[in-house]
Structures are given as structure tokens and as C-alpha cells.
Amino acid sequence: MMPLKPHLLWLMLAGATPAVAAGISVPDAAASHAPTTAMPPAPAWQPAQTMQTAPPAGQTAAPAPVQPAAQPVQATPLPDAALRYAQEQAMPLPAADVSTLRQGLDTLQRNEGRAPVTAVPRISSLTVNLAPGASLPLVRVLPSFPATVTFTDETGSPWPIAVPPVNGNDRGFDVSWMPDAMTIQARRPYDTGTVTVYLQGLSVPVTLSMSSGEPDNVSASQVTDSRLDLRIPRRGPAARALPRGRGKVALYDGTLQAFLDGVPPAEARRLKTQGAVPDTAVWQIGDDLFIRGRHDIRDAFDQTLASADGTRVWKLPVTPEVSFSVQGHTQILSVSLE
């Protein structure tokens, strides 16, 4: 047997018959009488699987890229336009302009808080004239400066209010009350109105005129009644017993009223005193003494006037000593006459 050539051996291993491998012609299967079995085609050769795909023929595989070492992540700066926009939103104005605006705002607030008219609060008292044709007592109020009105009888005792007062101008004034006093507050400046008060046991009402500023007064300051004590020339429900006649009560005496309000007349001369009688002051006008205090006098006097808080004024002839009742004891007030 002759040895096979190498290429014939390779073809036989690939599935070819020896005759074909040898180049010998084989008669057609249809012409042959012997039955033959069809052979399935041999599978085509496939490349082996590898971890990396082999590059096509004629190409050289590129070297694998070398991964750089991990570097720390650095913040990317914002674009100039975005940074400028953020700065405009956070700081729309320079610091110097902000300081100027704050100073201007402070000046504006000072001007808004400064009232165009300076109020001069006063505590005063008036005697109400109930006779026909008499003028109405005036209550002076300014915005933000309410007035408290009290009512006393001729002995200085409180006179309670019976029913709610009647406010004639509720748009310009706010009036509230309690049994012992009434408050009046101005809602707007330069307005006028009246309020009617009904006192217990008094047959006629007491009408007051209200004013919240004088339009014709160009002065930078105006007087307002912080407290106004209205004295009714009658004996009220809680009147105190007077040891002397009613004629000594000087209800319409302007001089005694000035001393009672703490504004003595210009001609009054203050005198020095000695003695354990506190809160007592003495003035002299001509041959008369005017004593202002809170304690009961024991000596004879000509006239007297009282306020709602218990302060009284006495008029009596000039004398070097005056007796007072202080906590149930008699105290001598020595007056230095000049």
C-alpha cells in the first residue's frame, strides 16, 4: 500500500473520500445500481473563542489603554456669566450704596415719628356752670394723647356717672367710661365735637366740648388735657360733711383755681415754712395767705377749693402759724412773713 501524500491526508481528515482526495472520478450515484447513503456536509471550521477578539487579518491589535491613576476631584469653576448673575442676586448693590440707603431710611423714620405739633400735657380743673347761657367746659385732646375726665362735687367727693355718655362725633373721638371717670381720645387731628354725661342724682346733664387741636394756632406746641377734673357746684351722692357754710366754697374764684392748678398768679410770693405738714405750700398776695395742701386745716379760713385727687386750697388772713390735722394729730405750720 502506497503511503498517502500529506495533502491527501489533510483532505481525508476534512471528510473527503479517498478517491476524491486522490483525484479519481467517481461515477454518479444515479447511474450506480448499488444504493448509497447521503453524507451530511461537514461543519465549517470556526475560530476558537478567546478573551479578546482577534483583529482581522492584516491588522495589528492596538495596545490596551493604560488607565491613569485616580486623581482628586476638583470643583469646576462656574462660568463668568453664572457667577455674575449669582452675585447680582445676592449683592445687588455695593456696600457703600446699602449704607446710604440705611441712613436715608433712618432719616425717613425719624421724620415720620416726629409729630408736627408738640403736645404739652396738663392736669387742670374747672368748675362747671350749670346755669342757662353758660359756656361749655372744653376738653383739649391730641392724637395719641387721651384725656381722663373726672367729676367731683363741691366738697371734692367723686360724683359717679350714671349711664354711658353720648358721643356726638364718634368718627373724630373715641369716648369710653367707667363709674368714676371718662376717657376721650382723638381719632384724627383738628376736629371738634361734644359729649353729654349724665351723673347720678343730677337733674341736668353735663355737656362738654371736645377739640383735637386748634387749626388757627400756628405754634409748634399745643396744650392737651392729660387729666381734667370737673367740679359740679352741687352736693353729690357721696358729699362729705362740711363744718362751715357753703358760702366758703369758692367755685368760681379764678385766683384759687390758679393755685389749685399749680400755676400761681404772677403777683403771688412764695413763703418759707417750718413744721411737720408735708405737701404744703404757702403764698402771699397782699394781706391774704393762700395755702395749698392735702391735709385738713383746723383754723378759720375765708374760702376754699378742692380737686378730685384731694388737693385743696385755702384763703385766709396773714398769720404766722396755721394748725393742720395730720393723721389725727394737730401739727403747727410756721410761716416766715417778710
Side-chain angles (χ1 to χ4, degrees):
M1 182 176 180
M2 296 180 63
L4 295 177
K5 296 181 178 182
H7 69 277
L8 295 180
L9 178 60
W10 183 87
L11 290 177
M12 290 180 65
L13 292 176
T17 59
V20 175
I24 304 171
S25 62
V26 179
D28 190 6
S32 174
H33 295 282
T36 59
T37 302
M39 298 294 293
W45 287 92
Q46 299 292 333
Q49 294 183 0
T50 59
M51 297 300 296
Q52 295 182 354
T53 304
Q59 295 186 6
T60 304
V66 178
Q67 296 295 334
Q71 299 293 334
V73 180
Q74 298 182 356
T76 304
L78 295 175
D80 294 342
L83 180 59
R84 286 195 302 271
Y85 176 79
Q87 289 178 344
E88 291 175 356
Q89 297 299 318
M91 298 176 294
L93 295 175
D97 294 345
V98 173
S99 177
T100 303
L101 288 178
R102 290 181 63 87
Q103 293 178 359
L105 178 60
D106 181 71
T107 303
L108 179 61
Q109 292 175 343
R110 290 174 182 267
N111 293 333
E112 290 180 351
R114 184 181 297 109
V117 177
T118 302
V120 183
R122 292 285 176 82
I123 298 177
S124 57
S125 60
L126 293 174
T127 300
V128 180
N129 191 348
L130 301 177
S135 60
L136 301 180
L138 175 64
V139 181
R140 300 162 297 184
V141 293
L142 292 175
S144 303
F145 290 88
T148 301
V149 182
T150 63
F151 299 90
T152 59
D153 64 359
E154 62 183 16
T155 65
S157 299
W159 200 318
I161 302 174
V163 295
V166 180
N167 184 7
N169 183 4
D170 56 356
R171 293 186 178 182
F173 300 90
D174 177 63
V175 178
S176 57
W177 71 286
M178 58 181 61
D180 297 333
M182 176 181 64
T183 59
I184 301 175
Q185 186 171 2
R187 296 182 184 271
R188 54 192 179 189
Y190 307 113
D191 206 347
T192 57
T194 60
V195 57
T196 303
V197 183
Y198 297 89
L199 301 179
Q200 291 183 8
L202 190 62
S203 58
V204 294
V206 179
T207 304
L208 287 72
S209 179
M210 301 180 295
S211 174
S212 59
E214 304 172 12
D216 298 333
N217 187 357
V218 296
S219 176
S221 60
Q222 294 189 18
V223 177
T224 178
D225 293 317
S226 177
R227 193 189 82 203
L228 177 62
D229 300 333
L230 294 180
R231 188 182 306 106
I232 309 301
R234 301 284 192 277
R235 293 181 63 86
R240 293 180 295 182
L242 293 179
R244 297 167 180 85
R246 180 169 178 252
K248 292 183 177 293
V249 180
L251 296 176
Y252 301 103
D253 189 287
T255 303
L256 265 69
Q257 185 67 58
F259 283 108
L260 187 64
D261 293 340
V263 187
E267 63 271 19
R269 183 164 47 93
R270 181 76 177 265
L271 301 180
K272 296 181 180 180
T273 59
Q274 293 180 353
V277 185
D279 302 328
T280 304
V282 180
W283 292 266
Q284 180 179 355
I285 299 179
D287 295 334
D288 297 322
L289 292 182
F290 295 86
I291 303 177
R292 185 176 188 265
R294 299 179 60 87
H295 302 281
D296 293 333
I297 192 171
R298 291 186 178 272
D299 292 342
F301 59 89
D302 294 337
Q303 289 181 316
T304 183
L305 200 60
S307 66
D309 65 335
T311 303
R312 301 188 68 90
V313 175
W314 297 273
K315 176 184 177 182
L316 63 159
V318 173
T319 178
E321 293 182 348
V322 183
S323 300
F324 286 88
S325 176
V326 180
Q327 297 182 354
H329 301 277
T330 300
Q331 298 290 343
I332 303 299
L333 183 69
S334 300
V335 181
S336 300
L337 300 177
E338 298 177 359

